Amino acid sequence: MDNTLRRIDLNLLVTLQALLEEQNVTRAAERLHLAQPTVSVQLARLRHLFDDPLLLPGPRGMRATARADALREPLAEALAALQRAVAPVQAFDPAQATQTWRIMASDFGETTIVLPALADLRVRAPGTRLAVVSLAPAQMVAQSERGEIDLALHITSDAPPSLHHRPLFQERYVLAGRRDHPRLKRRPTLKQFCALDHVIVSPDGGGFHGGTDSQHHVATRAYMRQRAVGAALPVPAQRAAAHGPGGDDALAPGRAGPGLEGGCGAH
């Protein structure tokens, strides 16, 4: 750090700003709630610090030197920035907020969390906007670090360890099949489950691999779902503009982006 900056008493800069604006020692002292002799002493120290008279006697008080005039704007900007830096942190007030929140979520997260929250968000934070982008776990950390998303809704087991996370709720997998299915009259074994005909919502729209495989390690336990005859469906395009000030709740298609499956079952 520059030695000159180390020698500066910040109180002297506050006094200098008052003197430049008032151009009168008495009025500057009143403004600073200091005695006039104290301000006179500080002016003398400022003259020594800047090696310039700064303020000279004039017909109506004092007049600034060219050096003092050059200090006005940068001094005001520096003191304003310092004031912001040391000001107490204001509590977040959702009613006054104007942020645009960006949430990464799958269609499941949109349906179970985002949509139910929109009505309350509109009431509590009417000036904010909410955008939803498709869930892309591989990009989650990078987009968070770049400030491109504020929040991601994802399963706990796949949450990146470098990000803070908090459980919202728990769910369990169920096997859904048609009524009176001959192979579902009692709980099937894993082998029997894998032999059923399956309908899978697949991340890549054709890989016949879904969330059940990842969560329950079906493929790694020497079993494969052998007859995935249902169509593997591509994930919808990226979502955007879920909530805006005074607007209707909506999930409108945005630019295309990667996504994740919503779930899977067997029939």
Side-chain angles (χ1 to χ4, degrees):
M1 184 178 293
D2 186 88
N3 289 332
T4 302
L5 188 58
R6 290 183 179 182
R7 292 187 290 107
I8 293 178
D9 180 350
L10 291 179
N11 290 317
L12 291 179
L13 299 182
V14 175
T15 298
L16 177 58
Q17 184 181 41
L19 286 167
L20 292 176
E21 292 179 357
E22 299 294 342
Q23 295 193 353
N24 183 284
V25 173
T26 301
R27 290 198 300 270
E30 293 174 351
R31 172 174 166 176
L32 297 169
H33 304 287
L34 296 174
Q36 181 176 333
T38 300
V39 175
S40 296
V41 170
Q42 291 183 346
L43 176 57
R45 293 177 60 190
L46 285 164
R47 286 168 168 165
H48 176 73
L49 178 66
F50 288 99
D51 192 23
D52 187 90
L54 297 176
L55 292 165
L56 298 172
R60 297 182 180 179
M62 308 184 78
R63 59 181 179 85
T65 63
R67 178 77 169 99
D69 278 333
L71 287 170
R72 288 181 190 273
E73 185 173 344
L75 178 63
E77 292 176 353
L79 291 179
L82 185 61
Q83 179 64 35
R84 291 192 297 270
V86 301
V89 177
Q90 298 294 322
F92 176 69
D93 182 2
Q96 302 299 321
T98 58
Q99 289 95 332
T100 295
W101 310 107
R102 296 181 62 82
I103 298 179
M104 177 181 284
S106 65
D107 52 355
F108 175 76
E110 294 171 0
T111 303
T112 59
I113 302 174
V114 177
L115 283 176
L118 289 183
D120 194 46
L121 179 65
R122 175 179 295 170
V123 173
R124 295 177 180 270
T128 64
R129 299 191 300 176
L130 177 64
V132 182
V133 299
S134 294
L135 183 63
Q139 302 175 26
M140 190 180 299
V141 173
Q143 288 189 276
S144 297
E145 291 175 346
R146 293 195 298 265
E148 296 175 0
I149 59 171
D150 302 294
L151 179 69
L153 304 176
H154 195 29
I155 54 177
T156 303
S157 59
D158 287 350
S162 60
L163 298 181
H164 296 290
H165 63 273
R166 177 178 299 179
L168 298 179
F169 59 87
Q170 291 185 334
E171 285 200 331
R172 61 189 179 90
Y173 280 89
V174 297
L175 176 59
R178 64 178 172 83
R179 186 184 299 273
D180 300 325
H181 193 296
R183 297 186 182 181
L184 297 180
K185 291 183 177 180
R186 56 174 55 94
R187 184 189 183 103
T189 65
L190 178 60
K191 184 176 181 179
Q192 291 169 339
F193 167 77
C194 290
L196 294 170
D197 295 342
H198 293 260
V199 174
I200 303 174
V201 180
S202 179
D204 57 11
F208 298 97
H209 180 277
T212 300
D213 304 283
S214 301
Q215 289 299 297
H216 298 287
H217 308 290
V218 171
T220 61
R221 295 176 62 177
Y223 294 105
M224 294 182 64
R225 289 189 279 183
Q226 299 171 359
R227 291 159 49 184
V229 298
L233 304 177
V235 180
Q238 188 167 342
R239 305 306 203 264
H243 165 72
D248 294 331
D249 297 338
L251 288 174
R255 64 183 186 277
L260 193 68
E261 79 291 340
C264 65
H267 288 234

